[in-house]
Amino acid sequence: MLRSTGDRVVIVGGGIAGALLAKTLENHADVVLIDPKEYFEIPWANLRAKVDPAAVERTVIPHSDYLTHAKVVTAFAVGVDDSVVLTSIGRAVAYDFLVIATGRTCNRPQKQSERLEMFQDDKERIDGARSVLIVGGGPIGVELAAEIVMKSPEKSVTLVHGAPRLLKVMGARASAKALEWLRSKNVTVLLDQTVDLASATPDTREFTTSAGQTVEADAHFVCTGRPVASGWLKGTLLGEHVDEEGHLRVDGHLRVGGLRNVFAVGDITDVPEAKQGHLAQRQAMVVSRNLRLLVKGATREEKLHRYKPSPRTSMTVTLGHRDALAELPFMTLIGHIPGAVKPRDHFITRTRRMMGIKSKPYGTMPHVM
């Protein structure tokens, strides 16, 4: 067993929130990061990486590249009690403070090289396809469709969405503008329809929607929502604090169930705000400050920082290299102007700088090991 040291902070989950938390705490506490992957990804650059080789290696970053003191246990967490986290490799990790940052379920390989190969495979599938089917019309599906048609306007792209409008996380006006923009780029958008992909394989070329419409596509991508990764908490100390949607109930300090030494950040929390990467980072910074106080021995509740949920006042969806859809408090814009505001590299350079990683110049070609 990896024994605690009195200031041991165990972080379960190495996504954008867990990774940032580990980085900001490693010089202030004995930090252990438990993650089934040897790397973290910059999630908002994921889609660009599918079509742009220059982005790939800069967005998939080994934990060893940014953590200099923290320990990393490469495994799934499978259980937890009031002092120990159990892992899938049979290793027990003791903690003094615990942070749950497991986000949403995803199927990612353990090694960075294997993840880079997945991006290369996706790029080859897109490059080799004359027609592409995208299932899901949230931000991910809309952004992927835009990336493909802006890079390869000759391709036939069909987007199938099981709701009456795209982008339900945004307002109706933004949804209408996104639909108009996609159709202006010759993307076929089928609303209020679903596609059963249970028996589909990478070689499937013909798909039938719930309305009986046939869609032919050389490649298909599923961009629907994923469930919260809290199933492993059932039957544990924290199970009673999981709500019906799978989120952990947290208080204003982002502590789980009011427990003094257990926190949660990111998509797994029930914080009433959009589940976006930059907000998960904000939560991580609040927990980082609170844990530094607690490690130093702070006992007074009023000294702890509170997290203020972000109202949905603005949101941006990228539409290829140049365009974007921006929903602001008093207006909704689409086209080059909002596209010019968002950095060309999807905030990759800024995120790497936050993690203390020397940035490779944008445009550097990756290699697959």
Side-chain angles (χ1 to χ4, degrees):
M1 178 167 77
L2 194 55
R3 300 185 182 279
S4 67
T5 55
D7 64 347
R8 165 72 57 74
V9 177
V10 173
I11 301 165
V12 181
I16 196 67
L20 179 61
L21 185 58
K23 177 62 181 177
T24 58
L25 281 176
E26 67 172 350
N27 291 324
H28 304 275
D30 176 19
V31 174
V32 179
L33 176 66
I34 300 175
D35 189 48
K37 313 179 309 302
E38 297 176 353
Y39 56 88
F40 88 98
E41 292 186 40
I42 301 175
W44 44 83
N46 185 295
L47 300 176
R48 176 62 52 80
K50 289 184 185 297
V51 298
D52 183 359
V56 175
E57 271 193 331
R58 301 176 72 239
T59 68
V60 183
I61 303 165
H63 295 311
S64 58
D65 279 9
Y66 67 92
L67 294 176
T68 55
H69 302 301
K71 305 176 186 70
V72 178
V73 176
T74 306
F76 287 94
V78 296
V80 60
D81 62 20
D82 60 359
S83 62
V84 170
V85 177
L86 304 176
T87 69
S88 58
I89 58 174
R91 190 174 185 180
V93 183
Y95 68 85
D96 299 295
F97 301 94
L98 175 65
V99 185
I100 308 298
T102 45
R104 296 182 180 274
T105 59
C106 62
N107 183 22
R108 296 283 188 266
Q110 177 180 319
K111 296 185 177 300
Q112 181 206 29
S113 59
E114 296 171 347
R115 183 64 176 135
L116 295 179
E117 288 174 0
M118 287 180 66
F119 278 115
Q120 183 63 27
D121 289 345
D122 285 345
K123 182 182 182 302
E124 290 175 359
R125 287 171 60 203
I126 293 171
D127 287 348
R130 290 177 299 176
S131 54
V132 178
L133 167 65
I134 297 170
V135 180
I140 295 174
V142 169
E143 288 191 352
L144 179 57
E147 290 285 354
I148 294 172
V149 296
M150 293 301 282
K151 182 176 184 292
S152 305
E154 76 283 358
K155 294 187 187 298
S156 171
V157 177
T158 300
L159 190 155
V160 179
H161 186 52
R165 66 180 181 92
L166 301 171
L167 300 171
K168 71 174 183 178
V169 296
M170 304 177 79
R173 184 174 177 81
S175 297
K177 284 183 175 290
L179 179 62
E180 181 182 10
W181 188 93
L182 288 171
R183 286 178 171 166
S184 76
K185 307 301 181 187
N186 297 316
V187 175
T188 300
V189 180
L190 305 178
L191 298 174
D192 265 334
Q193 298 185 50
T194 59
V195 179
D196 184 3
L197 297 173
S199 59
T201 70
D203 296 323
T204 301
R205 295 291 182 268
E206 188 172 288
F207 306 84
T208 303
T209 74
S210 55
Q213 190 163 344
T214 298
V215 178
E216 295 184 356
D218 299 324
H220 70 277
F221 295 89
V222 180
C223 298
T224 52
R226 304 189 312 263
V228 180
S230 59
W232 67 282
L233 295 172
K234 291 180 180 178
T236 73
L237 167 77
L238 303 180
E240 65 182 285
H241 304 299
V242 178
D243 68 17
E244 54 279 358
E245 294 182 351
H247 297 102
L248 277 170
R249 300 183 185 92
V250 294
D251 64 13
H253 304 298
L254 298 175
R255 293 179 301 191
V256 177
L259 297 171
R260 180 180 179 275
N261 65 333
V262 181
F263 294 78
V265 293
D267 282 9
I268 199 168
T269 71
D270 70 342
V271 175
E273 65 181 5
K275 302 304 182 185
Q276 295 179 292
H278 72 281
L279 297 179
Q281 288 179 316
R282 279 187 57 218
Q283 293 180 22
M285 294 307 296
V286 169
V287 171
S288 178
R289 290 194 289 270
N290 284 337
L291 283 170
R292 275 179 266 177
L293 288 172
L294 291 170
V295 165
K296 289 178 181 178
T299 57
R300 294 172 59 186
E301 182 88 3
E302 60 268 24
K303 284 191 173 184
L304 296 182
H305 298 271
R306 299 187 69 86
Y307 181 76
K308 184 179 180 181
S310 176
R312 189 176 64 83
T313 55
S314 62
M315 184 174 180
T316 301
V317 172
T318 301
L319 302 171
H321 270 286
R322 297 184 303 167
D323 290 2
L325 168 66
E327 185 177 58
L328 306 172
F330 303 107
M331 67 178 70
T332 301
L333 301 173
I334 194 166
H336 294 347
I337 293 176
V341 174
K342 197 164 187 177
R344 187 170 68 96
D345 76 341
H346 281 234
F347 296 106
I348 296 172
T349 299
R350 188 184 75 172
T351 304
R352 290 175 64 91
R353 191 180 302 122
M354 287 178 67
M355 304 300 291
I357 304 168
K358 185 176 180 181
S359 236
K360 300 177 182 179
Y362 186 69
T364 302
M365 291 297 290
H367 65 277
V368 176
M369 301 181 348

